[in-house]
Amino acid sequence: MGRLRQKGKAGAAKAYVTRTAAIKKLQCSLADFRRLCILKGIFPREPRSRKRANKGNSAPTSFYYAKDIAYLAHEPVLKKLREHKTFAKKISRALGRGEWSDAKNLEDNKPVYRLDHVIKERYPTFTDAVRDIDDALCMIFLFASLPSNARLPPSLVENCSRLAAEWQLYVAHSRSLRKVFLSIKGVYYQAEVMDQTVTWLVPYQFTQNIPTDVDVRVMLTFLELYQTLLGFVYFKLYTDSGLMYPPPLDAKKDEGGAGVGAFSLQSTSKSATSSTPTARAVDTEGRKISAKDVRQVIKNITNTDTDNKDADEHAQIVDSTSMEVDEEFVPQQSTSDPQSVASLTTLKALQVLPQSLNTSLFSPYSFFLSRETSRPIFEFIVRSFGGRIGWPASSGSGSPYDETDASITHVIIDRPLVERQDETAEDRERRSRRKYVQPQWVVDCINAGKILLEEPYAQGKTLPAHLSPFGEYEGAYDPTLELAGEPAEDSESEDEDMAQAEEKGDPEQPEEHSALRAMAAATDEASLRAAELAAEAAGVDYGTFEKEVRKSLKKSKTTAKTDAEDEEQDMSKMMMSNKQKKLYEKMKYSQKKKAAEVRLVLFICLPLNIL
């Protein structure tokens, strides 16, 4: 006889736990429970039957997996939080009694928890950590631009600014930046780090205010986790690139407002060579081998190599030729399908492919920023693509050259064109050698992957539309494509307008047009010839008749294609089981919903020139 199932002790009632029961089991406050859930990545779950999960009670509440709560019960961070609660009671009692020495000792031994084990648990591999730093970077750059107050200590804002500068320093050094978009919210950047696409948002340099209705404690908990995560990621990225982490900071340049330029990249090769240990004798199979024995063996090997030099060179030539022959993949026919030929891309074929990405786009140019342009944005962008950039002293210290430098090729300026009356001959000559462009030119060149003409972006001119390069859905805007099909699109739009006018029954249009369009819908040659004669008799020119024929053929092809696809989908659904049919219908519904959302976003954002 099987075990009897008791109500409330099996099924959903056992698998789920309410938030109140979880707090009671963990013996912590609601704020500490929220902090633990954020740090460990535990979030509420929605059971199939809320009434069964709540043991018959239908009151609204939050549910968690019972296994997640049992997992939190053994968390070291929870133990430190309990110790901190005890510490708060002891120090308040000592201060109330006036025991200042005891209070100082308690403060020196304050319990502090670390999140290193949490990062290792949540991100078992380095690729997982890099894939998940988008939100971390957005949060870091946001807090780096906020003013310090009672809730945000200055040390926190300073640490966020340091992490933001270190990330920009690495991206500029590794030439990892790919796309830039100037939006209303801020500047969107996209980089490729360790074959992972990283996108983050940097707000503009305006005075930021913290809203009163925002729970800063929750954001600070996320920020605490993100700071630890970025520390791990930065150390790995810098050390893999042969750079010292953290990069040294020049205090004088930092006080002068140098920003990212206050940090200097140093290679770890010098420190590695200086810290190389001296050679010692080692034990191998019970025998001590010293450095003298190793040098003698190496000398014997070199003598043997000189005697057989010709033979080795001949063998190397044979090996290299055989490797080159083996590198080429010879396609073989399949035994099951003789018509198909296997195709495999080799390393040699990949090396022949053209490289579309140019990370040294601005390397031949030297830029100078005008004082009204944002220096942190364009210093990061230009240096990420190999360019040199300078700025006036009013924008901060650390500029490699001043405005009178003869190597400046472009001046990024964002003010209207005003003729100067006191301009000297030297200034006119300097202006003639340089090209004055607006800031959008730099960003559009990056998104297009090539240097664009400076004339449409000249000082004081109306700029072209700045569209988003983040086209991740089908039919999105791609700035790298040339606008070659505009005349054909215009003609098609005119045809559609004419067709709409005829369908509405415009009295100015003759009745012969509708008859001609109906006759032109025929596919056989006799009907087309009859329609052509009728159009000639009615006084319609041959160009209009060809447009009607082209439109009718286009509609017939589209209809036939749609019918064929629908018929194929129906045949495929007939071979599915009921479970597969339901899953297929859900998938089609989600695709239609996503397409509708994309159309809504395009309808809202196109008038604002955001996309």
Side-chain angles (χ1 to χ4, degrees):
M1 182 177 177
R3 295 181 59 184
L4 296 177
R5 298 184 62 180
Q6 298 181 2
K7 184 179 181 181
K9 294 186 179 181
K14 187 178 180 181
Y16 294 94
V17 178
T18 61
R19 189 178 67 178
T20 304
I23 294 174
K24 186 176 180 181
K25 183 177 181 179
L26 297 177
Q27 297 181 5
C28 62
S29 61
L30 179 59
D32 292 341
F33 178 73
R34 287 174 175 170
R35 180 180 297 180
L36 281 173
C37 290
I38 291 173
L39 296 178
K40 300 295 291 184
I42 296 173
F43 50 90
R45 307 286 181 163
E46 185 64 26
R48 292 185 177 180
S49 176
R50 299 179 63 89
K51 191 172 182 180
R52 290 182 182 177
N54 207 7
K55 300 178 181 179
N57 190 1
S58 60
T61 183
S62 300
F63 294 94
Y64 296 85
Y65 279 148
K67 289 186 177 180
D68 291 342
I69 303 304
Y71 183 60
L72 282 180
H74 303 281
E75 175 59 35
V77 178
L78 179 60
K79 181 180 178 181
K80 288 294 182 180
L81 292 176
R82 291 170 179 168
E83 293 178 1
H84 188 275
K85 187 177 181 180
T86 306
F87 158 77
K89 290 181 180 179
K90 288 182 179 180
I91 197 171
S92 62
R93 185 186 301 115
L95 292 175
R97 293 177 178 178
E99 300 172 352
W100 311 116
S101 60
D102 293 344
K104 185 178 182 303
N105 292 334
L106 288 172
E107 183 66 27
D108 294 340
N109 299 321
K110 180 180 179 180
V112 179
Y113 61 85
R114 299 178 63 86
L115 301 179
D116 298 349
H117 67 285
V118 177
I119 300 299
K120 295 178 182 178
E121 290 173 2
R122 295 187 64 172
Y123 307 103
T125 63
F126 180 64
T127 306
D128 296 333
V130 175
R131 192 185 298 119
D132 202 38
I133 63 172
D134 295 359
D135 295 336
L137 291 174
C138 293
M139 184 78 75
I140 289 295
F141 278 94
L142 173 63
F143 275 85
S145 63
L146 293 178
S148 60
N149 53 20
R151 294 185 291 179
L152 297 179
S155 59
L156 180 65
V157 178
E158 183 180 354
N159 188 36
C160 291
S161 302
R162 180 185 60 83
L163 290 174
E166 289 175 355
W167 171 255
Q168 290 186 340
L169 200 65
Y170 172 78
V171 172
H173 172 75
S174 60
R175 307 283 179 87
S176 304
L177 191 64
R178 297 294 178 265
K179 297 178 182 178
V180 185
F181 177 50
L182 307 175
S183 70
I184 298 176
K185 294 182 180 179
V187 184
Y188 284 91
Y189 297 102
Q190 189 175 91
E192 287 186 6
V193 179
M194 302 294 292
D195 294 334
Q196 299 296 325
T197 302
V198 182
T199 307
W200 71 98
L201 174 65
V202 179
Y204 292 116
Q205 289 184 313
F206 297 134
T207 303
Q208 306 289 343
N209 295 321
I210 303 176
T212 57
D213 56 344
V214 174
D215 193 354
V216 184
R217 294 179 299 174
V218 176
M219 298 182 67
L220 289 177
T221 305
F222 278 103
L223 182 65
E224 185 180 8
L225 176 67
Y226 290 155
Q227 284 178 333
T228 310
L229 170 62
L230 291 179
F232 275 86
V233 173
Y234 289 176
F235 178 79
K236 176 69 173 175
L237 292 176
Y238 272 73
T239 52
D240 287 352
S241 300
L243 302 174
M244 185 185 298
Y245 184 81
L249 175 65
D250 192 342
K252 293 183 178 180
K253 289 185 178 180
D254 190 31
E255 292 177 357
V260 182
F263 294 87
S264 59
L265 293 175
Q266 293 185 4
S267 177
T268 57
S269 59
K270 295 182 179 180
S271 59
T273 53
S274 61
S275 61
T276 302
T278 58
R280 297 180 181 178
V282 295
D283 293 337
T284 304
E285 297 180 356
R287 178 190 173 191
K288 285 189 176 182
I289 299 177
S290 62
K292 184 178 180 179
D293 298 330
V294 174
R295 286 195 295 270
Q296 184 64 29
V297 173
I298 294 174
K299 186 177 180 180
N300 296 334
I301 293 174
T302 53
N303 293 334
T304 307
D305 291 342
T306 54
D307 296 335
N308 302 326
K309 184 176 180 181
D310 297 335
D312 291 343
E313 289 179 354
H314 179 69
Q316 289 178 1
I317 294 173
V318 174
D319 293 339
S320 62
T321 54
S322 62
M323 289 177 61
E324 290 179 357
V325 172
D326 293 338
E327 177 64 26
E328 292 296 336
F329 175 73
V330 179
Q332 301 290 339
Q333 290 185 352
S334 175
T335 56
S336 60
D337 189 4
Q339 300 296 331
S340 64
V341 178
S343 61
L344 182 64
T345 305
T346 61
L347 179 60
K348 190 173 182 180
L350 290 176
Q351 292 176 351
V352 177
L353 292 176
Q355 299 293 331
S356 59
L357 181 64
N358 186 9
T359 57
S360 302
L361 190 65
F362 298 137
S363 56
Y365 308 107
S366 297
F367 296 84
F368 189 83
L369 287 174
S370 183
R371 64 174 182 269
E372 71 276 356
T373 54
S374 179
R375 176 201 151 195
I377 295 175
F378 292 97
E379 180 186 5
F380 169 59
I381 292 174
V382 172
R383 287 184 173 177
S384 298
F385 285 87
R388 298 174 64 246
I389 190 167
W391 53 86
S394 59
S395 299
S397 61
S399 177
Y401 47 84
D402 56 0
E403 190 176 3
T404 60
D405 195 287
S407 63
I408 297 176
T409 58
H410 292 77
V411 177
I412 304 176
I413 190 167
D414 197 15
R415 67 181 83 164
L417 184 60
V418 178
E419 294 184 1
R420 295 176 54 184
Q421 302 295 334
D422 56 345
E423 189 175 16
T424 62
E426 184 180 359
D427 294 340
R428 285 194 295 270
E429 183 183 358
R430 188 187 302 125
R431 177 179 286 271
S432 63
R433 291 198 308 264
R434 301 173 180 176
K435 295 182 179 180
Y436 290 77
V437 294
Q438 299 188 45
Q440 185 180 327
W441 178 80
V442 180
V443 180
D444 287 351
C445 288
I446 293 173
N447 296 334
K450 60 183 180 180
I451 300 298
L452 302 176
L453 294 176
E454 293 87 353
E455 184 63 25
Y457 301 89
Q459 180 184 2
K461 285 197 173 183
T462 302
L463 294 171
H466 178 57
L467 305 178
S468 172
F470 303 105
E472 299 179 355
Y473 54 89
E474 186 178 357
Y477 170 76
D478 188 1
T480 60
L481 296 179
E482 297 293 339
L483 302 177
E486 287 184 353
E489 293 176 358
D490 295 341
S491 62
E492 289 180 2
S493 62
E494 292 176 0
D495 296 341
E496 292 176 359
D497 296 340
M498 185 182 297
Q500 291 177 1
E502 292 178 2
E503 289 175 0
K504 291 180 181 179
D506 194 349
E508 297 181 359
Q509 296 289 340
E511 297 179 357
E512 288 81 2
H513 282 211
S514 58
L516 290 175
R517 193 170 72 252
M519 294 175 68
T523 56
D524 54 336
E525 296 182 0
S527 301
L528 290 175
R529 181 60 180 170
E532 184 179 354
L533 293 175
E536 185 178 356
V540 180
D541 57 342
Y542 187 71
T544 306
F545 176 76
E546 277 192 339
K547 289 181 181 179
E548 296 292 341
V549 174
R550 192 166 60 248
K551 280 197 302 181
S552 61
L553 292 176
K554 189 176 181 180
K555 288 181 181 178
S556 62
K557 288 181 182 180
T558 306
T559 307
K561 185 178 179 180
T562 306
D563 295 341
E565 291 179 354
D566 294 341
E567 186 177 355
E568 185 179 355
Q569 289 179 1
D570 294 339
M571 291 295 292
S572 301
K573 289 176 66 177
M574 289 174 63
M575 303 298 294
M576 296 179 183
S577 61
N578 291 335
K579 187 175 182 180
Q580 291 175 344
K581 286 181 182 179
K582 292 180 181 179
L583 184 61
Y584 178 74
E585 294 295 338
K586 288 183 179 179
M587 184 182 67
K588 296 296 290 182
Y589 174 76
S590 61
Q591 289 178 356
K592 291 180 181 179
K593 188 176 180 181
K594 187 175 180 180
E597 291 177 354
V598 170
R599 288 195 297 269
L600 181 60
V601 170
L602 289 174
F603 175 75
I604 295 174
C605 298
L606 276 177
L608 299 176
N609 284 334
I610 293 181
L611 294 174

